[in-house]
């Protein structure tokens, strides 16, 4: 299966969009953002509605964006990816050359003759997880004193931390009230100390997550927590669980109470619905809720196969992003959920997006002659309105925004004051911002003038549940993948991350040698690590 690869600058749709961008739809002109427009520019997929009347698009722009998606064969590529084609390839360069099959983790409940082997492997891991969780629930698996496990520490970093952690916070209200999860990611020893200072280790499981089984931060933190177990007189092999790649250095079941697997065709940042998220989320939320996440994600994976951009939220969001970034020249993107539960979600999307699409080489092996992924950032709720929104409204930089909102809150509690609930006030704020940023405000006083034309969209759902969370997760994954296809880049490797890992290890070797040999530094000034070592001196390290 050969992947159709075409650079954005070689597409005919790109040329049309270039012309349209000279005079984009003016949201700030009087009478443009009408009720009719708001009604017309809505897209629905399953539980979600996307409101995009507040983007600088009209029918001509949408037709050109549809043409762009067709020319790039975005849907065909997405379906090839789901069936197991090698996606991770760049002509003329050594690259990972792998399948990309995070969607297979969700394609586990239907008889699908085209499902790749990955779906069978995912189902097997799910069954093993279910057995493990049953044992915990039925007290067949307890600590050595016969007591239940009440806590879990998840040790992992990057893709083995951000997505799972975002989901845990998002769904905390669905948590088993007798179970808590704590996270250690950074190698900063204070991170681990904070978690360890306030926990009963004897009733805690430690879930060590590393696909490669070689990540310095994770292995160091694992040893640090193991030492705490030894010091407490506890045997770590009754508490430690591994989630790792088959045959990785961590694939050593004797060392662990249980070992679960993820496979090399699942990228770290796309791994939340594999065992990377599954073990911890299953422990905290229960197996059924984890399955709901998977089902919500699967629904979105299917919805993302729709060719008509007006019926496919992830594809439409991908295209609107390309329009704003490549044609209207906006360099960043803000993700702004109006739900405190999504507190960690912008950080996850930041990683997933910037690690996937922060690339400068096309899949044809040539430097790009256009921009790829934007700088992604964001924060939850109305708090931002009292902080950085000033720049969004009146700053010299135009920041496209993606708002996420829910009609109902998660908890049963709310209060009605002056005839409206807090949830209604929250939503009113969200919608007011969306409209104000698009339309702006005229004023004689230049200081109080708002130029408008700040492109934004609103993703709405009824309530943030495990199912909707799975949907939002898969929606953003698909959006990022589609943008990679449109930019014709390899979204599935991360050489920049690998470089950082490699350099840190190299530098640590230097530290070690300095400790062992006082004469080493003088004779080694040609060593490329030297400049870094000089800098390290300033920090007072060894
Ligand atoms: C994600 C990246 C990266 C990775 C971490 C942790 O896509 O590859 O963020 O997840 O570096 O790697 P391990 O899971 O191998 O420890």
């Amino acid at each position: 299966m050969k992947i159709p690869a075409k650079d954005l600058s070689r597409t005919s749709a790109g040329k049309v969009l270039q012309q349209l961008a000279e005079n984009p739809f003016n949201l700030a002109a009087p009478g443009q953002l009408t009720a009719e427009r708001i009604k017309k520019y809505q897209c629905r997929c399953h539980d979600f509605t996307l409101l995009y009347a507040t983007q600088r698009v009209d029918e001509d722009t949408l037709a050109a964006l549809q043409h762009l998606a067709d020319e790039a064969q975005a849907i065909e590529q997405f379906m090839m990816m789901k069936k197991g084609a090698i996606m991770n390839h760049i002509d003329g360069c050594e690259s990972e050359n792998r399948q990309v099959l995070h969607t297979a983790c969700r394609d586990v409940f239907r008889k699908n003759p085209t499902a790749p082997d990955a779906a069978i492997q995912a189902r097997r891991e799910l069954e093993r997880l279910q057995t493990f969780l049953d044992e915990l629930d039925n007290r067949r698996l307890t600590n050595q004193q016969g007591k239940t496990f009440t806590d879990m520490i998840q040790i992992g970093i990057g893709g083995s931390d951000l997505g799972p952690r975002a989901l845990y916070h998002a769904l905390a209200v669905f948590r088993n009230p007798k179970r808590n999860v704590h996270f250690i990611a950074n190698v900063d020893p204070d991170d681990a100390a904070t978690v360890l200072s306030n926990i009963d280790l004897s009733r805690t499981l430690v879930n060590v997550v590393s696909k490669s089984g070689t990540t310095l931060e994770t292995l160091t933190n694992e040893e640090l927590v193991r030492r705490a177990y030894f010091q407490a007189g506890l045997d770590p092999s009754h508490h430690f669980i591994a989630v790792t790649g088959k045959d990785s250095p961590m694939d050593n079941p004797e060392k662990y109470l249980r070992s679960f697997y993820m496979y090399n065709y699942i990228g770290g940042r796309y791994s939340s619905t594999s065992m990377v998220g599954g073990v911890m989320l299953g422990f905290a939320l229960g197996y059924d809720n984890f399955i709901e996440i998977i089902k919500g994600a699967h629904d979105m994976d299917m919805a993302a196969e729709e060719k008509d951009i007006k019926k496919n939220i992830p594809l439409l969001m991908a295209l609107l992003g390309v329009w704003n970034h490549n044609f209207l020249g906006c360099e960043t993107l803000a993700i702004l959920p109006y739900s405190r539960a999504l507190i960690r979600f912008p950080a996850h999307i930041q990683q997933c997006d910037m690690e996937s699409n922060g690339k400068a080489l096309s899949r044809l092996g040539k430097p790009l002659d256009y921009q790829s992924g934007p700088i992604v950032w964001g924060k939850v709720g109305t708090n931002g309105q009292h902080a950085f929104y000033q720049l969004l409204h009146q700053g010299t930089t135009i920041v496209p925004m993606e708002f996420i909102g829910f009609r109902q809150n998660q908890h049963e509690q709310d209060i009605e004051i002056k005839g409206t609930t807090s949830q209604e006030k929250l939503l009113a704020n969200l919608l007011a911002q969306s409209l104000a940023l698009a339309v702006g405000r005229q004023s004689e006083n230049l200081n109080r003038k708002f130029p408008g034309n700040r492109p934004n969209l609103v993703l709405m759902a009824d309530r943030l549940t495990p199912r909707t969370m799975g949907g939002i997760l898969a929606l953003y994954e698909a959006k990022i993948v589609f943008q990679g296809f449109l930019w014709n880049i390899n979204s599935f490797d991360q050489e920049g991350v690998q470089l950082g890992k490699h350099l840190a290890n190299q530098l640590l070797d230097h530290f070690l040698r300095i400790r062992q040999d006082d004469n080493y530094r003088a004779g080694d000034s040609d060593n490329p690590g030297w400049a870094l070592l000089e800098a390290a001196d300033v920090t007072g390290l060894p």
Side-chain angles (χ1 to χ4, degrees):
M1 279 193 277
K2 174 104 175 97
I3 300 295
K6 194 171 195 182
D7 287 355
L8 179 63
S9 49
R10 305 274 173 277
T11 58
S12 57
K15 296 194 177 62
V16 175
L17 286 162
Q18 203 87 55
Q19 280 164 7
L20 291 169
E22 284 169 20
N23 189 18
F25 185 80
N26 186 359
L27 292 160
Q32 288 302 325
L33 191 55
T34 57
E36 196 189 330
R37 179 176 164 91
I38 292 172
K39 216 163 155 190
K40 183 171 174 190
Y41 289 133
Q42 293 189 16
C43 174
R44 286 175 217 279
C45 292
H46 291 285
D47 306 331
F48 299 95
T49 307
L50 183 76
L51 305 168
Y52 65 100
T54 43
Q55 291 280 327
R56 302 194 68 184
V57 293
D58 56 16
E59 286 304 306
D60 288 345
T61 331
L62 290 168
L65 290 173
Q66 175 75 63
H67 185 197
L68 180 64
D70 297 343
E71 246 188 308
Q73 300 193 44
I75 296 300
E76 288 81 353
Q77 293 197 56
F78 187 72
M79 294 180 56
M80 288 169 81
M81 178 189 88
K82 286 173 74 177
K83 285 183 189 147
I86 303 282
M87 307 301 293
N88 216 343
H89 173 83
I90 299 173
D91 286 357
C93 295
E94 203 181 306
S95 58
E96 286 178 342
N97 255 340
R98 284 183 189 157
Q99 297 171 298
V100 173
L101 280 170
H102 51 277
T103 49
C105 294
R106 286 92 83 135
D107 198 2
V108 285
F109 297 110
R110 61 179 181 145
K111 285 208 163 41
N112 173 11
T114 63
D117 288 350
I120 298 166
Q121 282 167 329
R123 202 173 313 144
R124 199 165 49 225
E125 287 308 297
L126 269 179
E127 282 162 10
R128 296 182 60 233
L129 175 64
Q130 186 174 25
T131 307
F132 173 63
L133 295 173
D134 279 350
E135 286 175 34
L136 290 177
D137 290 347
N138 300 332
R139 291 172 153 252
R140 269 180 284 131
L141 188 62
T142 59
N143 73 1
Q144 285 175 287
Q145 295 75 43
K147 291 194 173 151
T148 52
F149 290 104
T150 54
D151 290 71
M152 177 178 275
I153 300 174
Q154 168 127 337
I155 302 177
I157 196 163
S160 297
D161 168 55
L162 288 158
R165 197 194 295 224
L167 264 55
Y168 174 74
H169 286 291
L171 300 172
V173 67
F174 297 91
R175 194 169 50 84
N176 176 336
K178 295 197 178 122
R179 290 182 183 168
N180 277 304
V181 179
H182 318 263
F183 298 88
I184 305 177
N186 204 305
V187 76
D188 180 345
D190 292 343
D191 215 358
T194 311
V195 170
L196 293 175
S197 66
N198 201 10
I199 202 166
D200 178 358
L201 290 182
S202 75
R203 299 189 70 177
T204 300
L205 290 165
V206 183
N207 189 32
V208 188
V209 185
S210 175
K211 176 179 167 180
S212 63
T214 59
T215 303
L216 174 76
E217 290 90 333
T218 302
L219 298 187
T220 306
N221 282 324
E222 177 178 2
E223 283 316 309
L224 195 154
V225 178
R226 275 182 188 273
R227 195 182 58 190
Y229 270 82
F230 286 128
Q231 284 169 348
L234 296 163
D235 178 352
S237 68
H238 292 279
H239 295 262
F240 278 55
I241 302 165
V243 179
T244 192
K246 204 94 186 114
D247 300 326
S248 90
M250 264 175 63
D251 183 6
N252 180 2
E254 282 177 17
K255 232 174 118 184
Y256 297 96
L257 178 66
R258 284 287 193 290
S259 288
F260 294 93
Y261 294 105
M262 57 137 17
Y263 295 87
N264 71 5
Y265 45 71
I266 301 174
R269 54 196 174 274
Y270 297 95
S271 66
S272 300
T273 49
S274 75
M275 288 302 113
V276 169
V279 174
M280 177 275 292
L281 293 167
F283 174 79
L285 311 175
Y287 182 75
D288 291 347
N289 276 328
F290 181 59
I291 295 301
E292 279 294 293
I293 297 173
I294 286 186
K295 286 185 172 163
H298 180 62
D299 286 347
M300 190 53 74
D301 292 338
M302 297 305 291
E305 292 184 2
E306 166 63 52
K307 277 196 159 185
D308 182 347
I309 67 165
K310 291 186 176 174
K311 295 182 183 156
N312 182 337
I313 295 182
L315 180 58
L316 181 56
M317 282 175 67
L319 289 158
L320 292 170
V322 169
W323 168 244
N324 289 326
H325 188 53
N326 294 81
F327 298 96
L328 301 187
C330 305
E331 293 206 321
T332 81
L333 168 71
I335 315 265
L336 304 167
Y338 274 58
S339 159
R340 73 159 297 286
L342 289 177
I343 187 158
R344 301 284 306 194
F345 190 65
H348 167 56
I349 296 306
Q350 180 179 60
Q351 184 212 14
C352 197
D353 197 317
M354 292 174 76
E355 208 166 280
S356 298
N357 290 339
K359 310 285 165 62
L361 198 64
S362 95
R363 288 184 294 181
L364 301 172
K366 301 261 170 10
L368 296 181
D369 53 7
Y370 46 86
Q371 299 275 307
S372 61
I375 298 161
V376 180
W377 59 286
K379 232 183 166 45
V380 291
T382 53
N383 300 16
Q385 285 175 218
H386 301 266
F388 57 85
Y389 275 45
Q390 167 58 36
L391 183 147
L392 301 182
H393 280 284
Q394 287 186 308
T396 48
T397 297
I398 295 187
V399 182
M401 289 149 277
E402 294 180 353
F403 294 103
I404 304 174
F406 302 93
R407 294 177 191 97
Q408 298 155 31
N409 58 328
Q410 282 186 318
H411 290 266
E412 303 283 298
Q413 296 159 16
D414 199 348
I415 184 169
E416 198 173 298
I417 295 179
K418 293 191 180 159
T420 56
T421 63
S422 294
Q423 184 65 18
E424 284 166 343
K425 291 181 177 79
L426 183 67
L427 266 186
N429 266 288
L430 185 167
L431 295 172
Q433 288 296 328
S434 165
L435 297 176
L437 287 153
V439 174
R441 192 175 71 185
Q442 295 305 320
S443 170
E444 298 285 298
N445 178 346
L446 289 184
N447 191 34
R448 301 225 165 107
K449 191 175 160 169
F450 292 79
N453 275 323
R454 269 48 183 169
N456 69 80
L457 52 79
V458 181
L459 180 68
M460 288 287 305
D462 276 341
R463 186 166 173 250
L464 185 57
T465 61
R467 194 142 186 151
T468 26
M469 187 64 246
I472 298 174
L473 179 82
L475 187 160
Y476 270 92
E477 288 174 354
K479 176 200 160 188
I480 291 163
V481 165
F482 281 135
Q483 288 193 327
F485 295 155
L486 297 167
W487 286 316
N488 195 22
I489 52 179
N490 174 3
S491 303
F492 307 110
D493 66 5
Q494 54 286 316
E495 290 301 326
V497 177
Q498 315 294 46
L499 176 70
K501 288 184 182 181
H502 177 70
L503 286 179
N505 279 321
Q506 223 179 23
L507 198 56
L508 281 172
D509 283 348
H510 284 297
F511 287 164
L512 201 61
R513 290 176 69 183
I514 290 166
R515 272 195 181 157
Q516 290 164 349
D517 178 0
D518 286 346
N519 299 320
Y520 168 68
R521 299 181 67 162
D524 200 37
S525 52
D526 289 341
N527 193 305
W530 187 254
L532 283 170
L533 274 177
E534 291 295 311
D537 259 1
V538 179
T539 68
L541 279 165

